[in-house]
Amino acid sequence: MEKKAGWNLENSYTRLPGAFFTRQDPAPVDSPELIVLNDEMAGSLGLNAEELSAEILSGNDIPVGAEPIAQAYAGHQFGHFNMLGDGRAVLIGEQITPEGERFDIQLKGGGRTPYSRGGDGRAGLGPMLREYIISEAMHGLGIPTTRSLSVVTTGGTHLPGNRTEGCDSDSSGGQPPSRRYLSIRFKVWKCRGSEGTGGLCSGASLPARNERPEPFSAPAAGSH
């Protein structure tokens, strides 16, 4: 099944110090149903769309090679510096395409994580369908963006504020790593910068390694 589907996963983020992430499996769902699948994108990732079941795309079945994690970061919010993280998203891993490119595969609406501050960690079907449509429109216009691989309903309900609506999980393929990793690492640098250059250099190594093929050596402390 795994070979038929075409999964070829790694997770270079897990080579960072443990403070940058928490290992986190997606929360199981009762009755996953595939609503929309991006066949074109699946093919570009080296995946066989016919083998991508709702069980896999909802997070119930984890592909071989995946190392699911929730990412930690920090930033100023409401006038205060806060330790934050992915409260309803789980990074499954990096899909390595037949051309050797790396794309993050993230399950959005995959349930609560240690960084959740409230809610059920799910997402509404309407917002996820809007995200799917808008991201594909941006891609069609040539604007680099995170894209949606699929939208899957869970069979449960989602309570955003005082409204209840059908909830879903959205298995999303990331941007080319040179862009996605940089956007992630800026948040991570802010998170770990106060703990010294060790964490800072660890965070800096990944975008450099994925942007260029030659080996990367972290700069000595105080060299910049």
Side-chain angles (χ1 to χ4, degrees):
M1 177 65 73
E2 300 296 335
K3 290 184 178 180
K4 289 182 180 179
W7 291 110
N8 184 21
L9 293 165
E10 289 185 0
N11 199 335
S12 59
Y13 204 98
T14 60
R15 294 197 285 272
L16 290 172
F20 288 88
F21 63 90
T22 297
R23 294 188 183 275
Q24 175 77 40
D25 287 337
V29 302
D30 294 330
S31 304
E33 180 181 350
L34 183 61
I35 300 301
V36 60
L37 177 64
N38 193 329
D39 290 14
E40 180 272 329
M41 182 184 175
S44 70
L45 292 171
L47 297 172
N48 182 353
E50 295 182 357
E51 298 293 335
L52 296 177
S53 68
E55 290 291 329
I56 290 177
L57 295 171
S58 68
N60 278 0
D61 290 342
I62 305 299
V64 172
E67 295 183 75
I69 62 170
Q71 296 169 315
Y73 54 90
H76 282 81
Q77 193 174 50
F78 308 118
H80 302 280
F81 181 80
N82 298 287
M83 292 301 299
L84 306 168
D86 289 333
R88 64 174 184 175
V90 176
L91 179 64
I92 301 299
E94 299 157 88
Q95 171 72 1
I96 304 175
T97 71
E99 292 75 29
E101 296 179 296
R102 290 174 178 259
F103 292 84
D104 288 353
I105 304 295
Q106 185 184 68
L107 191 72
K108 185 173 181 180
R112 288 182 57 82
T113 77
Y115 311 111
S116 299
R117 291 176 292 169
D120 57 12
R122 299 298 186 187
L125 177 59
M128 290 298 94
L129 289 173
R130 285 195 297 272
E131 183 173 319
Y132 181 97
I133 294 169
I134 292 171
S135 65
E136 285 304 288
M138 291 175 66
H139 174 71
L141 291 170
I143 302 171
T145 178
T146 298
R147 299 174 64 191
S148 292
L149 175 60
S150 69
V151 177
V152 180
T153 57
T154 66
T157 56
H158 168 54
L159 187 63
N162 58 5
R163 294 187 299 116
T164 302
E165 58 183 332
C167 68
D168 75 301
S169 294
D170 170 28
S171 184
S172 300
Q175 298 171 286
S178 61
R179 293 189 178 92
R180 176 160 174 80
Y181 281 142
L182 282 172
S183 67
I184 290 174
R185 294 308 182 266
F186 288 151
K187 292 183 287 188
V188 170
W189 285 335
K190 198 169 186 179
C191 173
R192 310 311 308 177
S194 62
E195 297 189 12
T197 58
L200 211 64
C201 289
S202 296
S205 66
L206 274 168
R209 187 178 69 247
N210 283 283
E211 284 184 81
R212 58 187 185 189
E214 64 268 20
F216 174 83
S217 296
S223 61
H224 293 283

